Amino acid sequence: MVMSTEMPYIRTLDDTTELNRMVKRLYGSPSIGGFIEVGPFNNLMISEYENVYEEIKQFPIHDDDIFVVGYPKSGTRWTEEMVWLICNDFNYGKAKEVDLINRFPTLETDGVSFYNINVGKILSEMERPRLIKTHLHWSLFPNEITSNAKKPKFIVVLRSVEDVCLSQFHHHRTTLGFKGSFEEFCKLFLAGKVLQGPYWSQVLSVWDQREHHSMLFIRYEDMKKDLAAIIRQVASFLGKTVPEEEMPRLIDHLSFDSLKKNPAFNHEDMLAQFNGDCNPFTREGIVGGHKAVMTPEMIGNLKAMNEKMFRGTGFSLLNDEY
């Protein structure tokens, strides 16, 4: 069913398939008014996104904007904190006092009621270069970007599909009231019936733009392995430098233990709204955590999908085993 003649790419999630019925049955948070499918690739979103779809498509872009892009639970928040500090003279005081979502807003957050912020207002008042995050599929980016009219910089964060799936499961249990089993969530994830749509589609939609825009691809696994090297790589991409004497303090601030205790990073003020047993924004942050909970069949299914979706695309940034 088309919800708007002016926005033909927005449809309600119907009951015609078992997967759609699973989505409706297994999510129970009052913060969700329902689900819609958006864009030419039917990306699943909560219904509130309809209210900001057109605003995002028409959002004015500056060539000096800096975007952090990544599929949900790929390490984008960690990357945001790093980029913000590099671009703001390592202002650790402000990084501990002002919530990250106000320092580095997510473009589509106005479509999620529990955040209760006005992204458009924040960005209109933000000093340039503006720092913006998005999890969106490339087809849902602002028109000035998809038309190549504007050329901001993009730092693209990648993470292994297995760990993303596990992290999303815990995140959805806490923030979106997912009440199904991990096995059921894996089934939905494999079919792309989770928020923001299929992992593979989102990753490739950005990868396909690498020759048309200024993009730096980094991996969560590499950040865990050698954070200093990634910091230097990101700083160089942004035309910045990190003095060697600054590196120990920056790495300490960006450590998982430090960020887990930082209320400006971990959304501590929002936790009362959630019913989960852990902070969904800073849970464990480890590499390979899926191995302890995924069955061989689950892992095999995800690896098979990797092979199917990435074959012939030139994409090889997630081939290493961790």
Side-chain angles (χ1 to χ4, degrees), residues 169-186:
F169 168 66
H170 288 287
H171 189 90
H172 285 202
R173 284 180 62 205
T174 303
T175 62
L176 301 177
F178 183 80
K179 54 183 180 289
S181 66
F182 183 47
E183 182 178 2
E184 288 172 314
F185 184 81
C186 284

Side-chain angles (χ1 to χ4, degrees), residues 120-147:
K121 183 175 186 297
I122 292 173
L123 289 172
S124 68
E125 298 173 352
M126 184 178 288
E127 293 184 6
R128 293 169 60 179
R130 300 181 302 181
L131 305 178
I132 308 168
K133 183 180 83 170
T134 184
H135 298 304
L136 292 172
H137 187 282
W138 187 266
S139 65
L140 304 179
F141 276 40
N143 291 333
E144 289 189 334
I145 292 177
T146 58
S147 68

Side-chain angles (χ1 to χ4, degrees), residues 254-319:
L254 293 173
S255 71
F256 185 78
D257 287 343
S258 293
L259 292 177
K260 197 168 186 176
K261 299 172 185 175
N262 181 358
F265 179 86
N266 64 24
H267 281 317
E268 189 174 281
D269 59 329
M270 295 171 56
L271 296 184
Q273 303 178 56
F274 304 137
N275 299 315
D277 55 3
C278 65
N279 187 316
F281 302 101
T282 52
R283 192 180 61 87
E284 288 186 348
I286 63 175
V287 171
H290 68 276
K291 296 175 183 178
V293 293
M294 280 189 175
T295 66
E297 181 182 7
M298 291 174 183
I299 294 173
N301 287 338
L302 291 170
K303 288 188 180 300
M305 186 64 79
N306 272 357
E307 174 64 23
K308 175 183 176 181
M309 297 302 295
F310 293 147
R311 186 189 304 123
T313 65
F315 184 83
S316 60
L317 296 180
L318 291 174
N319 283 351

